[in-house]
């Protein structure tokens, strides 16, 4: 008997997802497919490398960062209930409606994450977070559309790896879908993904060791010490330099991902962005049974103050995040 395949759309309908969210998620899948098509032939079409401009973060924009942003804006703009977009690549909030209503949606997104991987043909991704405009929206203060992560109604990412996979939560666990080139649909392939409580794998860019605070040094030193160290077990390390790929690995086989605040990025508040990197990944990880923290507080409780604000990110298997939180407490 052949296996019954469930498409992303069928899954959303079966899960009673609201019509406006279904419409928006369909457009996000179309943007992802378009981005994936650009990525596949990037080297032939001369769209690898730098665009010669900087984004709001002061980071060099790749040509594909801009192309991916344009695809997201193009597709999300067609959804009648979307009132505003916030993109890593654009400084201002992009308003689609003059008079947003509380039930309207706002999409925060990182159109292409891990873009330093592009030129070397390694995995990259797109990340998105969706909230309602909400009742507290005050027209005279556009920053009032920046909601705490806890108010997200949906979050997800597309990872462009050996396959193009979409991983989504709408608050009922986390499900993964793989793009099928033949049917041109995302098919449910990873039902109810979970992060195991314990892990023996961590991800961090150790070239910043000299800049780390004591709790991070202590945690990593203890992982490196392995079976003879205080943790008494062997740890493995993986770092993809694309948060999407690292988080995907954690959702598939567990682990811990760390991009802490350090002496180098202290002024900026960290490296990763709260609204379109830390919050959506935290929502996914928590929905899968893991935890996400700055070391001092739950990421999804951090009050946003600007669209591009940065934050320390420690996420993954719960027991390890608890150890990291404890080390931060002890160092205070
Ligand atoms: P982006 O490409 O959107 O700027 O984000 C890249 C992020 C994240 O994906 C990754 O974990 C991290 O930056 C890598 O940073 P390092 O190069 O400092 O390791
Ligand atoms: Mn990113
Ligand atoms: Mn990006």
């Amino acid at each position: 008997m052949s296996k019954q395949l469930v498409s992303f759309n069928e899954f959303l309908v079966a899960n009673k997802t609201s019509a406006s969210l279904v419409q928006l998620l369909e457009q996000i899948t179309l943007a992802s497919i378009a981005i994936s098509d650009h990525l596949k032939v990037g080297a032939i079409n001369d769209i690898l490398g730098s665009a010669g401009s900087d984004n709001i973060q002061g980071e060099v924009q790749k040509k594909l960062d801009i192309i991916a942003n344009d695809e997201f804006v193009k597709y999300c703009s067609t959804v009648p209930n979307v009132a505003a977009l916030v993109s890593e690549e654009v400084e201002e909030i992009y308003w689609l409606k003059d008079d947003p209503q509380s039930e309207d949606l706002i999409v925060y997104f990182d159109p292409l994450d891990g873009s330093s991987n592009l030129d070397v043909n390694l995995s990259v991704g797109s990340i998105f977070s969706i909230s309602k405009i909400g009742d507290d929206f005050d027209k005279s203060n556009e920053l009032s559309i920046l909601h705490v992560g806890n108010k997200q109604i949906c979050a997800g990412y597309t990872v462009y790896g050996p396959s193009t996979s979409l991983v989504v939560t709408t608050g009922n666990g986390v499900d993964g879908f793989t793009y099928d080139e033949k049917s041109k649909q995302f098919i449910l392939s990873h039902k109810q993904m979970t992060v195991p409580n314990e892990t023996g794998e961590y991800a961090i860019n150790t070239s910043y060791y000299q800049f780390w605070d004591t709790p991070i040094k202590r945690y990593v030193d203890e992982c490196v010490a392995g079976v003879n160290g205080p943790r008494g077990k062997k740890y493995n390390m993986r770092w993809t330099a694309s948060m999407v790929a690292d988080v995907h690995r954690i959702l598939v086989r567990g682990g811990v991902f760390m991009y802490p605040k350090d002496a180098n990025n202290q002024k900026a508040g960290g490296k990763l962005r709260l609204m379109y990197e830390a919050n959506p990944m935290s929502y996914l990880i928590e929905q899968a049974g893991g935890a996400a923290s700055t070391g001092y507080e739950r990421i999804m409780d951090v009050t946003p103050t600007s669209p591009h604000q940065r934050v320390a990110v420690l996420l993954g298997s719960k027991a390890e995040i608890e150890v990291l939180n404890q080390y931060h407490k002890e160092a205070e």
Side-chain angles (χ1 to χ4, degrees):
M1 211 169 68
S2 69
K3 208 171 124 195
Q4 184 71 38
L5 299 181
V6 178
S7 71
F8 184 46
N9 194 277
E10 287 166 338
F11 171 88
L12 292 174
V13 172
N15 281 277
K16 302 195 170 33
T17 314
S18 72
S20 60
L21 190 53
V22 171
Q23 221 178 341
L24 171 55
L25 288 170
E26 272 175 0
Q27 295 305 308
I28 289 177
T29 62
L30 293 177
S32 296
I33 295 164
I35 293 167
S36 155
D37 287 342
H38 288 298
L39 294 172
K40 280 182 213 157
V41 288
I44 302 170
N45 290 349
D46 191 28
I47 50 172
L48 296 183
S50 160
S53 50
D54 284 359
N55 67 8
I56 161 69
Q57 332 285 341
E59 293 161 350
V60 176
Q61 279 180 313
K62 302 268 184 180
K63 291 178 194 169
L64 275 163
D65 282 324
I66 298 170
I67 291 170
N69 179 66
D70 292 348
E71 294 292 2
F72 252 86
V73 172
K74 179 175 120 190
Y75 284 99
C76 292
S77 303
T78 66
V79 184
N81 276 78
V82 175
L85 306 173
V86 172
S87 166
E88 179 188 341
E89 302 303 330
V90 183
E91 178 165 9
E92 306 292 332
I93 296 167
Y94 186 93
W95 286 99
L96 293 163
K97 281 191 168 188
D98 293 333
D99 190 20
Q101 303 299 304
S102 63
E103 286 299 300
D104 284 339
L105 303 173
I106 170 161
V107 191
Y108 316 92
F109 59 92
D110 177 354
L112 206 50
D113 173 73
S115 52
S116 69
N117 277 351
L118 285 170
D119 301 352
V120 289
N121 200 16
L122 293 177
S123 291
V124 291
S126 303
I127 315 173
F128 59 90
S129 159
I130 303 168
S131 297
K132 287 187 180 170
I133 289 288
D135 295 325
D136 298 337
F137 174 61
D138 167 9
K139 247 185 150 179
S140 64
N141 170 21
E142 66 168 10
L143 294 185
S144 62
I145 60 156
L146 299 177
H147 294 303
V148 66
N150 214 18
K151 288 211 167 155
Q152 292 171 100
I153 60 161
C154 176
Y157 62 77
T158 308
V159 56
Y160 311 103
S163 67
T164 295
S165 301
L166 173 74
V167 174
V168 178
T169 184
T170 55
N172 301 305
V174 178
D175 293 280
F177 304 81
T178 301
Y179 185 60
D180 172 32
E181 299 269 357
K182 275 197 195 125
S183 65
K184 304 217 172 300
Q185 294 201 67
F186 281 92
I187 304 292
L188 181 61
S189 52
H190 295 70
K191 270 188 209 167
Q192 291 291 298
M193 301 171 89
T194 53
V195 178
N197 197 44
E198 315 263 338
T199 184
E201 195 159 74
Y202 66 100
I204 190 165
N205 183 341
T206 51
S207 69
Y208 302 123
Y209 185 92
Q210 59 178 309
F211 304 116
W212 293 344
D213 289 339
T214 319
I216 301 295
K217 277 188 176 156
R218 176 178 174 192
Y219 180 81
V220 173
D221 284 347
E222 290 182 2
C223 290
V224 172
V227 280
N228 298 318
R231 306 296 306 280
K233 80 177 184 197
K234 181 185 176 296
Y235 280 82
N236 183 38
M237 201 287 284
R238 285 287 181 273
W239 180 251
T240 317
S242 159
M243 187 194 199
V244 172
D246 283 316
V247 168
H248 192 64
R249 186 186 59 252
I250 292 171
L251 283 168
V252 171
R253 71 177 190 207
V256 169
F257 170 91
M258 292 167 279
Y259 210 118
K261 209 184 265 186
D262 63 28
N264 208 24
N265 64 34
Q266 187 83 27
K267 263 202 186 138
K271 156 95 189 224
L272 297 173
R273 280 55 59 112
L274 177 65
M275 302 310 292
Y276 40 80
E277 292 177 321
N279 272 339
M281 293 314 204
S282 300
Y283 191 22
L284 288 162
I285 290 289
E286 283 197 12
Q287 280 291 317
S293 160
T294 63
Y296 298 100
E297 69 175 313
R298 180 181 178 232
I299 288 173
M300 290 210 293
D301 288 337
V302 173
T303 307
T305 52
S306 85
H308 303 287
Q309 128 185 32
R310 298 174 190 257
V311 71
V313 175
L314 312 172
L315 57 77
S317 296
K318 222 178 203 164
E320 297 295 313
I321 299 301
E322 277 163 14
V323 169
L324 276 157
N325 287 341
Q326 182 59 31
Y327 288 2
H328 280 78
K329 213 183 234 171
E330 285 174 26
E332 262 182 320

